[in-house]
Amino acid sequence: MRKLITPFIKISSFYVIVGLILRIVLLFSPVTDSNFSFIDYLKIFTIGLINDFCVSILIFIFLWVHLIFLSSTKYKSPFNYIILGFFVIVLSYLFLFKTVFDDYGSIVPTLIKTFVLIKAISFIILLLMQNIRQTWRYWVYFFIFFSYIFLINYNVISEFLFWNEFGVRYNFIAVDYLVYTNEVIGNILESYPIIPMFSSLLLISLLITILYLKKSKKYFTDFPNFKIKLIGSLLYMALFIGALYILKITKKYENSDNTFVNELQANGLVRFYNAFEDSSLNYDQFYAKLPLKKSFSILNNSYDNHWTENYNTKIIKDSLPEFRKNVVLITMESMSADFLSSFGNTHNITPNLDKLANEGLFFTNMYATGTRTVRGLEALTLCIPPSPGESVIKRHNNDNMFSTGYLFKKRGYVVQYFYGGYGYFDNMNTFFEGNGYSVIDRSSFKSEKISFANIWGVCDEDMFKKAIEVFDNNNKNKVPFFGHIMTVSNHRPFTYPPGKIDIPNTSKSREGGVKYTDYAIGKFIEEAKKHPWFDQTVFVFVADHCASSAGKENIPLDKYKIPAIIYSPGFIKSEKITKTVSQIDLMPTLLGKLHFSYNSSFYGQDIFNNTYQPRALIATYQKLGYLKNNTLIVLSPNQKVEQYKVIKGSQLLKDKNINHSILEEAIANYQTCFYLLKNNRLKVKK
């Protein structure tokens, strides 16, 4: 039995020790901007230790299966013929037929084929060459053990980098990153000294493996008998099931008001699994709700509309004729409000945006709906509250939606979406093409038109040059256009063409990424002024989300504030809008400036309408926030409701006296939107 237990003790102890070291490092990371009480520390390390030990039990299953199948009996007749025949059948199936693994695409079929082929070759070698079995088994065991050590170390580095980027353990972003391996691996290669890091990681893992296994060769002289393996397996399965149960219990203790405490006591691999499982959440099942008719009644009162659960529509009627202006919407990657001098930044990294802000309609108190690009695109395109789980853009059945593009296309506009990367990322091609946009992405560029690119796409200058060419062609054909441009340069690894700004392109700094995007925007506007369509065009600049979403609160308000500017000299007067505005209100406000009349399915409002009530809808993947009158309501799974008072601009103070009027408005917005999405009520009626 000791031969089965010893490997487990080695792997488990190593995983727990490394987990403890990681937890300490994350605790003192500059990102972890918080103070902790004694109880907080106790939870972080006690529950954290329990979580890590339970996970060490779960991950050991692969090595356990390998160990219990070690035997000499399988090489004796008739077992050898049965096993050999089994490998022939499986390999024939994998290499000669379309298999179930092919449905997963990517490298999954190749990995499965390679694994089975290696196992088959290994069996044949050991069947024919009895004298090398002991040595062979040792080196296979050595390789598996080394793989465990390496992957544990690799995960620690990954979690550290992920924490520094997002201030949390693995979440939906990590799941997305696993899906979009090309962009993510390319991003890592361009952002970090990957060869030295991996070389060091391999060397350290190898040395640790040698230290652990230097006396393990004698393990392969003989093996535990069937009875011992059976008893050991039963004990291990009991531990396995117990670990799963305990992990469910410890999850209930992630209940601190300080998000960092919850994150630090959690286990990253468990968080990754939970994120993978919970990519979409049923609002009615997990969140506080009201009778549906009451929710729609509250919605009508707060928005002064006439919405019903059967057909979501409200009539927007303008008394003036429509302006058929071209519209160019520029969604800026990770452009936090506090990057602009207008919000107090002293580093002068956005001179062009600051100039546009002074010359246009400038929103100084706008909040993004989420922390991912798809959330920003959803807010600007569909103008609806963020729904729990994944963005609508990432979901199935998201075509033919009522959108800003639909309204322009209905009026004879050319509707186009521009993206410097490949539009399959984040499901953008599928969503925008399914909603009537023509997509111009990196695949539309000829090689000679690309002056600089990184893994996320062509640089912003190249994207803007492409857009101007397309707009020139639209104008030549005498057709108005709505162009939605998504920038990419202000994203790690923050690389851009050399010699453009005073921050070296080799610095790979956030400030460099911000300043280059601002530089590209300035060049774009100056070039656009030379073209005949400029005077007939309205430009809208808005961030998709902030550069960072980490904070000790569940929804840190300062990590959602974004800049937004509507710019059109001679048409839009310069003005600062200080009232609270949601990202979903930007396009309905623009449509109001164009005097569009339409039947609307938008939750977003024209902020200049006298019925507008300042409020903002902001969310994470599970937390749904509603900000109004310096009160923030946060709805969470398990029907949890929290209220915070907003003090000193963005600081939050827990408030136990729930404002039921604002709470019901919050529920009404999210509950009705979920209902309408679920029942396809936000699609265009054919």
Side-chain angles (χ1 to χ4, degrees), residues 76-99:
K76 298 176 182 178
S77 181
F79 299 109
N80 55 351
Y81 296 112
I82 295 172
I83 295 172
L84 195 60
F86 171 78
F87 277 124
V88 170
I89 293 171
V90 172
L91 288 171
S92 298
Y93 170 67
L94 292 174
F95 283 91
L96 300 179
F97 299 94
K98 185 181 187 327
T99 70

Side-chain angles (χ1 to χ4, degrees), residues 267-430:
N267 178 276
L269 295 179
V270 173
R271 279 293 178 88
F272 183 89
Y273 175 79
N274 290 338
F276 186 84
E277 286 292 300
D278 296 335
S279 59
S280 62
L281 292 171
N282 185 310
Y283 183 93
D284 291 339
Q285 182 179 354
F286 291 104
Y287 293 85
K289 59 181 182 177
L290 300 167
L292 192 59
K293 288 186 178 180
K294 182 175 182 179
S295 282
F296 274 101
S297 175
I298 292 169
L299 204 66
N300 287 335
N301 291 333
S302 60
Y303 287 156
D304 192 30
N305 297 317
H306 299 285
W307 288 1
T308 68
E309 63 253 49
N310 294 320
Y311 181 50
N312 173 34
T313 185
K314 55 186 181 290
I315 299 173
I316 307 296
K317 184 67 176 176
D318 202 296
S319 59
L320 297 175
E322 292 183 359
F323 287 110
R324 292 179 63 79
K325 295 274 190 179
N326 305 311
V327 174
V328 177
L329 168 62
I330 296 99
T331 308
M332 303 174 291
E333 173 67 47
S334 304
M335 189 64 71
S336 303
D338 56 17
F339 290 146
L340 276 67
S341 300
S342 310
F343 290 95
N345 191 293
T346 58
H347 298 290
N348 192 33
I349 54 177
T350 59
N352 294 293
L353 285 172
D354 288 316
K355 183 174 184 290
L356 292 170
N358 290 327
E359 297 175 356
L361 188 62
F362 181 34
F363 298 82
T364 63
N365 204 23
M366 177 174 284
Y367 291 89
T369 58
T371 60
R372 293 294 314 281
T373 294
V374 284
R375 280 296 187 203
L377 295 176
E378 172 190 270
L380 296 165
T381 305
L382 304 180
C383 307
I384 59 174
S387 45
E390 271 291 9
S391 162
V392 173
I393 290 177
K394 300 291 290 294
R395 298 183 188 180
H396 299 293
N397 192 30
N398 62 5
D399 60 334
N400 202 39
M401 305 284 288
F402 186 86
S403 67
T404 51
Y406 164 77
L407 288 177
F408 283 108
K409 193 164 189 175
K410 189 177 180 183
R411 286 163 170 75
Y413 280 64
V414 174
V415 177
Q416 296 155 326
Y417 176 70
F418 299 82
Y419 178 59
Y422 293 108
Y424 68 81
F425 184 76
D426 269 347
N427 205 42
M428 285 188 271
N429 276 352
T430 299

Side-chain angles (χ1 to χ4, degrees), residues 121-139:
I121 293 172
S122 175
F123 177 78
I124 293 170
I125 290 173
L126 296 182
L127 177 64
L128 300 176
M129 304 173 69
Q130 182 176 350
N131 59 320
I132 69 166
R133 285 179 190 171
Q134 183 175 337
T135 304
W136 182 277
R137 285 165 175 159
Y138 171 75
W139 286 112

Side-chain angles (χ1 to χ4, degrees), residues 10-30:
K10 291 177 179 179
I11 293 293
S12 179
S13 61
F14 181 74
Y15 184 82
V16 170
I17 291 169
V18 168
L20 175 62
I21 294 171
L22 173 64
R23 202 165 268 111
I24 293 171
V25 170
L26 299 183
L27 186 64
F28 292 100
S29 167

Side-chain angles (χ1 to χ4, degrees), residues 23-34 160 163-164 167 260:
R23 202 165 268 111
I24 293 171
V25 170
L26 299 183
L27 186 64
F28 292 100
S29 167
V31 175
T32 313
D33 182 21
S34 185
F160 172 74
W163 183 277
N164 279 351
F260 285 121

